[in-house]
Amino acid sequence: MITQPAGGMVRGKIGPGLILKDTDMKFFIDTADIGEIEDLAATGLVDGVTTNPSLVAKTGRDFKDTIRQICRIVDGPVSAEVAATDADGMIEEGRLLAAIADNVAVKVPLTWDGLKACRSLSQAGTMVNVTLCFSATQALLAAKAGATFISPFIGRLDDIGLDGMELIQEIRIIYDNYEDLGTEILAASIRSPNHVKLSAMAGADVATVPPSVLKGLVKHPLTDKGLDAFLSDWAKTGQSIL
């Protein structure tokens, strides 16, 4: 049943986990490859970037310089992950990362120390992406700690025989039960275009995807077949539009 809450936005279940929203689903690119980011950002479809030490290590570039350059290319949030595991270390590293650019979102793990760091950094006005989320109760804690984003790892749950999309749906229901929880659901560990579709259907606010997956969203064999047929028919006319 569709309900009309305070504020005028229509909300309600139309299918499993599907909620009408007043904002578009956002696409973040999960990479530290500057060339890929520049290429995809030119489409206007990139709303942010997520990185981690492993992705930066693959580039062979300096970590902070890489984050700085990405922040110049993309206006939206750029997640940069801390390496410390204790709260004080995460806070110290988070402050240094946040000083790189205004659009840095400090990424911290979903541990007790990570939640302490999240609270401290978010209260200081820094965007925080709490990562490695595998349960709805973890997501609830992150939201209460002031996380800007919560990153449930869909693919890794699928790998061990669980349903990653069920987690997205559970988090969506919990967050929508409480007006004060402003944390956005950032579907992560996405492996395929189908993961993106299901995340959108489940109500995720953001999908962070490898470049190959984002490019794959546009592809369909019938599109290619239809285009080939149109071009073949046009060639038979012997005409030119120019």
Side-chain angles (χ1 to χ4, degrees):
M1 180 177 66
I2 296 177
T3 58
Q4 182 75 34
M9 185 176 73
V10 177
R11 302 171 68 85
K13 299 216 182 267
I14 302 182
L18 186 59
I19 303 292
L20 293 183
K21 291 179 170 294
D22 58 356
T23 57
D24 295 332
M25 185 180 190
K26 293 184 280 290
F27 288 137
F28 288 3
I29 305 302
D30 193 34
T31 185
D33 187 314
I34 299 298
E36 289 274 26
I37 293 169
E38 288 178 330
D39 179 54
L40 291 171
T43 67
L45 297 173
V46 176
D47 301 294
V49 172
T50 56
T51 70
N52 58 50
S54 297
L55 290 173
V56 176
K58 291 178 182 179
T59 70
R61 296 166 50 92
D62 178 78
F63 182 76
K64 286 186 284 187
D65 285 346
T66 300
I67 298 301
R68 187 175 294 108
Q69 188 169 356
I70 294 172
C71 287
R72 292 184 185 131
I73 300 169
V74 178
D75 293 331
V78 176
S79 288
E81 190 164 351
V82 298
T85 56
D86 64 293
D88 289 342
M90 290 187 215
I91 292 168
E92 182 179 5
E93 290 181 1
R95 288 171 178 165
L96 290 173
L97 291 172
I100 293 175
D102 291 339
N103 55 328
V104 166
V106 176
K107 190 191 286 188
V108 300
L110 215 163
T111 61
W112 281 119
D113 283 278
L115 293 175
K116 291 177 185 178
C118 175
R119 170 62 70 185
S120 177
L121 292 167
S122 63
Q123 287 182 335
T126 297
M127 290 186 291
V128 181
N129 178 358
V130 179
T131 190
L132 292 172
C133 173
F134 295 99
S135 77
T137 50
Q138 286 181 321
L140 178 58
L141 291 176
K144 287 181 66 65
T148 311
F149 304 103
I150 183 68
S151 291
F153 276 39
I154 297 167
R156 294 196 190 182
L157 284 171
D158 289 352
D159 289 345
I160 62 171
L162 299 178
D163 186 352
M165 289 306 151
E166 184 176 330
L167 175 57
I168 300 292
Q169 293 171 0
E170 290 173 348
I171 299 172
R172 180 78 277 155
I173 291 170
I174 290 173
Y175 281 9
D176 287 340
N177 280 342
Y178 304 99
E179 292 182 0
D180 292 339
L181 298 183
T183 302
E184 294 191 19
I185 302 171
L186 193 162
S189 187
I190 285 179
R191 310 276 176 78
S192 68
N194 195 52
H195 269 164
V196 177
K197 179 191 75 173
L198 294 175
S199 295
M201 291 175 66
D205 299 288
V206 187
T208 186
V209 298
S212 60
V213 171
L214 184 63
K215 293 175 181 178
L217 294 178
V218 76
K219 293 189 175 296
H220 195 284
L222 292 181
T223 301
D224 296 337
K225 183 177 180 180
L227 180 58
D228 288 343
F230 294 156
L231 292 176
S232 177
D233 290 341
W234 177 249
K236 293 173 184 177
T237 69
Q239 301 179 55
S240 173
I241 294 176
L242 298 179

